[in-house]
Amino acid sequence: MGNQYVDMGLSAPVNVTWEVTFKCNLSCIHCLSDSGKKRIGELDTDQCRKVIDELAAMKVFQFNIGGGEPFMRRDFLDLMDYAHEKGMVTCISTNGTLITEEVAKRLDKNLVYIQVSLDGATPQSNDAIRGKGSFSNVVRALEHLKKRNIEVSINTVLTRLSFPELDKMVELASEYGAKLRVSRFRPSGRGMDSWSDLNVNKNQMLEFSQWLSRHLKVSTGDSFFSVTTEERKSLGLNMCGACKLTCCISPKGEIYPCAFLQHDDFYAGRLPGNDFKTIWETSPVFESFRRLEIKSCESCHRFDLCHGGCPAIAYHTQRKLGVPDPGCLANCVKIKPPTVAAKGA
């Protein structure tokens, strides 16, 4: 099964998530990687170039760059230039606070997409999660990027704080010529400590699903296929792509199925050093994900929309794979939704 994807022509991932550093200038309470201080073992500049060389040689189309905060690396923009020279598209996920006018000018390239994190439409809601002053700093970055006509999306994590402000987030994104992307909150990193306080309840998840069906231009792209409706089916967000379409490289060069499963149980190899092509084609970890089946979901009327949901959520909440996503709409619909939708939802 593992080589089926190679036989079908998918000889490399379409995109690779690369967390280039643990270091971050913020301390967001829901951070998936518990970023903050730089840790021993991060790849240096030469090692990063070798990673880019190897993935470019395999014809990987896109890097999804994250962290930590990528702009904390002094060599970051040079590394992006190097990737662009290799013809690779780069989508940079950033907290936005370090994007100055000069940085925006440097980013003014056709192969760059920027995803700026904002977890609320007001300083009160956003700064409660991301830290005092972060909202105003992000807005300033959005202004710099807009002047350069750089393609931007605003990414907000769905929490109890951001849920009532979704409509306002759409308006805010439009104001800066950006798209809105809503990401799923997962109990990994510091998110484990804030999960019970911030995670939306089942009624809110159901309302969010209905809201998404009315806002087809809002993207999700990371695992909200578990609440996909028929209206969004054509967008193709209906299956976990870990080890099939994508994988993750940690700041130390460790390879995992996805950014939310960076645990010893899912370690597949390391770059530079191991051959990435061999890892992609033959890693036992990757092969196990390609064979992963959630039998209890196959008889569900929503299976073609969801395929069991997000394995990472299942793992973090139940400590095993092969079980249904607890946030699936099939679970939510058992609870009668409120008669009056929350404002903004």
Side-chain angles (χ1 to χ4, degrees), residues 45-290:
T45 302
D46 288 341
Q47 290 172 319
C48 286
R49 285 175 178 264
K50 290 178 181 177
V51 170
I52 294 170
D53 288 341
E54 189 157 356
L55 272 66
M58 282 187 67
K59 308 297 183 185
V60 172
F61 175 69
Q62 178 175 307
F63 273 133
N64 294 332
I65 307 293
E69 171 49 49
F71 289 98
M72 292 291 286
R73 284 191 68 123
R74 293 182 178 179
D75 60 357
F76 178 62
L77 290 173
D78 292 333
L79 290 173
M80 293 302 94
D81 287 342
Y82 188 71
H84 298 151
E85 291 170 6
K86 300 284 183 176
M88 301 188 73
V89 175
T90 53
C91 178
I92 303 170
S93 295
T94 171
N95 63 39
T97 61
L98 301 179
I99 296 180
T100 62
E101 188 172 358
E102 291 73 22
V103 170
K105 182 178 180 180
R106 182 83 179 269
L107 291 170
D108 192 0
K109 301 176 184 296
N110 291 330
L111 296 178
V112 172
Y113 302 86
I114 308 295
Q115 182 173 286
V116 179
S117 295
L118 199 62
D119 284 312
T122 64
Q124 290 74 22
S125 54
N126 174 82
D127 292 6
I129 292 177
R130 308 191 67 82
K132 186 177 180 180
S134 58
F135 183 88
S136 60
N137 288 332
V138 171
V139 167
R140 189 177 303 114
L142 291 171
E143 291 172 348
H144 294 319
L145 295 169
K146 183 180 180 181
K147 288 179 182 178
R148 290 283 169 182
N149 292 316
I150 296 172
E151 186 166 339
V152 178
S153 65
I154 293 176
N155 183 76
T156 187
V157 177
L158 184 68
T159 66
R160 294 180 187 179
L161 295 180
S162 63
F163 170 75
E165 299 187 348
L166 291 173
D167 282 344
K168 291 181 180 179
M169 291 298 298
V170 171
E171 294 172 4
L172 189 150
S174 178
E175 180 181 349
Y176 292 99
K179 299 177 182 178
L180 179 64
R181 181 180 188 270
V182 184
S183 291
R184 194 168 180 187
F185 180 35
R186 296 175 177 86
S188 62
R190 285 196 293 274
M192 288 188 289
D193 296 327
S194 56
W195 175 254
S196 59
D197 292 329
L198 289 180
N199 189 40
V200 293
N201 61 40
K202 289 185 176 182
N203 279 332
Q204 291 170 325
M205 188 69 85
L206 176 57
E207 289 189 49
F208 174 67
S209 175
Q210 296 167 345
W211 184 87
L212 279 178
S213 71
R214 301 191 302 270
H215 294 80
L216 299 183
K217 292 184 179 180
V218 173
S219 63
T220 54
D222 62 353
S223 76
F224 271 128
F225 39 73
S226 61
V227 296
T228 293
T229 58
E230 287 289 341
E231 290 86 352
R232 293 181 66 90
K233 184 176 180 180
S234 62
L235 300 180
L237 307 177
N238 69 344
M239 184 180 294
C240 171
C243 306
K244 307 177 188 74
L245 303 174
T246 186
C247 63
C248 173
I249 302 174
S250 80
K252 295 182 178 181
E254 301 156 327
I255 301 172
Y256 300 97
C258 82
F260 303 97
L261 289 173
Q262 297 185 57
H263 293 266
D264 291 344
D265 289 345
F266 307 111
Y267 173 80
R270 186 189 296 269
L271 293 177
N274 300 140
D275 179 62
F276 183 73
K277 186 175 187 297
T278 300
I279 293 171
W280 178 254
E281 293 181 359
T282 67
S283 163
V285 171
F286 281 23
E287 288 188 358
S288 69
F289 266 77
R290 291 164 186 161

Side-chain angles (χ1 to χ4, degrees), residues 1-2 4-5 225 238-244 257-258 261 266 283-298 303 306-316 319-325:
M1 182 73 174
Q4 173 187 355
Y5 297 93
F225 39 73
N238 69 344
M239 184 180 294
C240 171
C243 306
K244 307 177 188 74
C258 82
L261 289 173
F266 307 111
S283 163
V285 171
F286 281 23
E287 288 188 358
S288 69
F289 266 77
R290 291 164 186 161
R291 293 193 303 267
L292 185 63
E293 296 178 333
I294 305 175
K295 291 291 186 181
S296 60
C297 292
E298 291 182 0
F303 185 69
C306 174
H307 290 88
C310 173
I313 290 283
Y315 176 79
H316 286 298
R319 286 302 172 204
K320 58 182 177 180
L321 299 176
V323 293
D325 184 330

Side-chain angles (χ1 to χ4, degrees), residues 324-345:
D325 184 330
C328 180
L329 195 62
N331 294 323
C332 297
V333 295
K334 295 176 183 177
I335 299 177
K336 185 178 179 180
T339 55
V340 179
K343 184 179 180 182

